[in-house]
Amino acid sequence: MKNSIYIYSLLVVLCSCNNSKLPPIAPDVITEFTLNDTDDPAIWVHPEDASKSIVFGTDKETNGAIYAFDLEGKIIENKTIKNIQRPNNVDVEYGFRLNDSTTTDILVFTEREKQQIRMFSVPDMKPLDGGGFPVFEDEELLENRLPMGVSLYKSPKDSSIYAIVGRKTGPTDDYLYQYVLSMDSLGVTAKLVRKFGSFSGKKEIEAIAVDDEAGYVYYSDEGVCIKKYYAEPAMGNEELSCFGGEYFLEDIEGIAIATYKNGEGAIIVSNQQKGEFNVFSRTDNTFVKAINLGTLETDGCEVVTVPLNSTFKSGLFVAMNDEKNFYFYDLERLGLQ
């Protein structure tokens, strides 16, 4: 009862601070606070007991961290990665091959101040990267080597896992670099396989999300539109679409892709300054609706469409909130189906 009163009171405050005129949907869970500045979440679904799934979230500062939360929003201290120099975005992928008989799930995040990405095993949280993989190494300007966004893609062709990395600023072409992650006799490597992606130059590109099954990568050119490309390197670097810009107040931010077995689904994108999320069709990218989840200035968001526990019976949507925390919602309450 106390938690319900707290959430209701918080929503009353939040509704007076954003620009949405839509009725707010209260979160089911609000996480404990991080130390500095939350930014982007990722969700790892436990393969044997979904109630033990973990939500990871970046805390963006020089003394930053990747916080691990249980489904009640409590910090899991022994799975939190600390002393990370300005982590921005984070993602998870399943079934990274360590050898012929062993696989592990992985967590990858950007570490901006060290111009690198990091890679850890999940759920044991062991580093697999020898301290980090440098990115954008061929860029002469330091400001073009500062990674922000990252999303992982697992190819249905051969199960290769790729990290698609964006940056704080960059050129009008080849803004994103794509690295294949693989294990050899010397350990895990990250090899650059392509550069792609246009940039308007108006604001920045941070949010990146990949639809593994459909084979598309989406990213937010924040002042313009959501851009769509093939995720498979062999499919080429043609821009497939630039959509949705007219539905945003200012910045186009975090992207989450809800996928269902029937091929349907939704692309959920943060309309940051309006305090809303815009929902687009996964099949044809047309606008469906806007929803108000009561968050402030949301950067990153993430979603899974499988039942996790009695609270998240239809899946979980996680949104960053600009008060050093994250909001969790039972997916059914977003009304996507």
Side-chain angles (χ1 to χ4, degrees):
M1 181 64 180
K2 289 182 179 179
N3 191 48
S4 299
I5 294 172
Y6 168 71
I7 290 174
Y8 176 78
S9 300
L10 182 59
L11 281 179
V12 170
V13 173
L14 291 183
C15 290
S16 66
C17 297
N18 67 29
N19 294 304
S20 178
K21 293 183 171 69
L22 299 174
I25 300 172
D28 295 284
V29 169
I30 297 175
T31 69
E32 295 180 331
F33 295 106
T34 67
L35 180 63
N36 301 296
D37 180 20
T38 50
D39 193 274
D40 186 54
I43 306 168
W44 175 74
V45 178
H46 195 291
E48 298 172 357
D49 185 349
S51 69
K52 296 179 181 178
S53 298
I54 301 171
V55 176
F56 295 99
T58 59
D59 188 42
K60 184 177 60 177
E61 191 49 83
T62 295
N63 62 332
I66 309 298
Y67 279 83
F69 301 94
D70 64 22
L71 295 183
E72 295 181 350
K74 306 297 184 184
I75 295 171
I76 309 173
E77 290 289 349
N78 65 353
K79 297 190 183 301
T80 293
I81 307 168
K82 296 185 177 180
N83 300 313
I84 303 299
Q85 293 183 26
R86 201 169 183 84
N88 258 105
N89 285 27
V90 61
D91 202 7
V92 299
E93 190 55 89
Y94 301 87
F96 176 79
R97 187 161 296 282
L98 296 172
N99 54 50
D100 289 342
S101 60
T102 307
T103 63
T104 184
D105 300 336
I106 58 172
L107 175 92
V108 172
F109 57 89
T110 53
E111 188 172 18
R112 193 198 303 181
E113 292 179 5
K114 287 191 173 183
Q115 301 97 58
Q116 65 180 10
I117 57 173
R118 300 298 314 273
M119 175 175 169
F120 284 70
S121 59
V122 180
D124 54 351
M125 312 313 297
K126 303 297 183 184
L128 299 174
D129 55 13
F133 301 126
V135 290
F136 307 114
E137 290 182 279
D138 58 348
E139 289 281 10
E140 294 182 1
L141 298 175
L142 174 61
E143 56 263 36
N144 286 357
R145 301 198 304 267
L146 303 176
M148 290 182 70
V150 66
S151 189
L152 300 178
Y153 166 58
K154 187 172 185 179
S155 171
K157 293 174 58 177
D158 58 8
S159 297
S160 293
I161 294 178
Y162 299 87
I164 299 172
V165 188
R167 40 190 157 165
K168 179 66 176 175
T169 187
T172 55
D173 294 301
D174 296 340
Y175 199 94
L176 305 181
Y177 281 22
Q178 184 164 350
Y179 300 84
V180 62
L181 305 173
S182 57
M183 171 70 86
D184 61 22
S185 60
L186 299 178
V188 181
T189 61
K191 179 183 177 182
L192 178 64
V193 294
R194 75 161 169 165
K195 307 172 187 180
F196 72 101
S198 67
F199 172 47
S200 66
K202 292 190 174 181
K203 290 194 173 182
E204 62 186 26
I205 294 169
E206 179 177 6
I208 308 169
V210 177
D211 187 333
D212 279 4
E213 295 174 6
Y216 297 123
V217 53
Y218 298 87
Y219 64 88
S220 296
D221 194 337
E222 291 187 10
V224 179
C225 66
I226 303 154
K227 294 187 174 180
K228 178 181 181 180
Y229 286 77
Y230 289 115
E232 193 69 40
M235 294 295 290
N237 297 340
E238 175 190 1
E239 184 173 290
L240 303 175
S241 183
C242 176
F243 66 93
E246 65 270 30
Y247 297 101
F248 292 84
L249 179 63
E250 291 184 39
D251 292 352
I252 306 168
E253 284 286 350
I255 305 174
I257 303 174
T259 62
Y260 295 98
K261 291 181 179 179
N262 61 2
E264 299 292 327
I267 301 169
I268 309 163
V269 187
S270 171
N271 189 356
Q272 189 178 58
Q273 285 76 22
K274 198 167 185 180
E276 295 178 356
F277 293 82
N278 287 328
V279 179
F280 299 88
S281 165
R282 181 186 174 216
T283 55
D284 62 13
N285 301 152
T286 55
F287 178 76
V288 177
K289 66 176 181 177
I291 51 177
N292 176 10
L293 299 182
T295 58
L296 286 175
E297 293 280 327
T298 295
D299 283 310
C301 55
E302 188 57 285
V303 64
V304 295
T305 58
V306 295
L308 299 181
N309 62 9
S310 59
T311 303
F312 306 108
K313 296 177 181 178
S314 62
L316 169 64
F317 182 78
V318 178
M320 166 266 183
N321 180 57
D322 196 28
E323 291 189 335
K324 303 181 182 182
N325 54 16
F326 294 89
Y327 285 8
F328 296 178
Y329 305 82
D330 179 36
L331 187 56
E332 184 178 21
R333 300 179 61 231
L334 275 62
L336 301 182
Q337 286 191 313

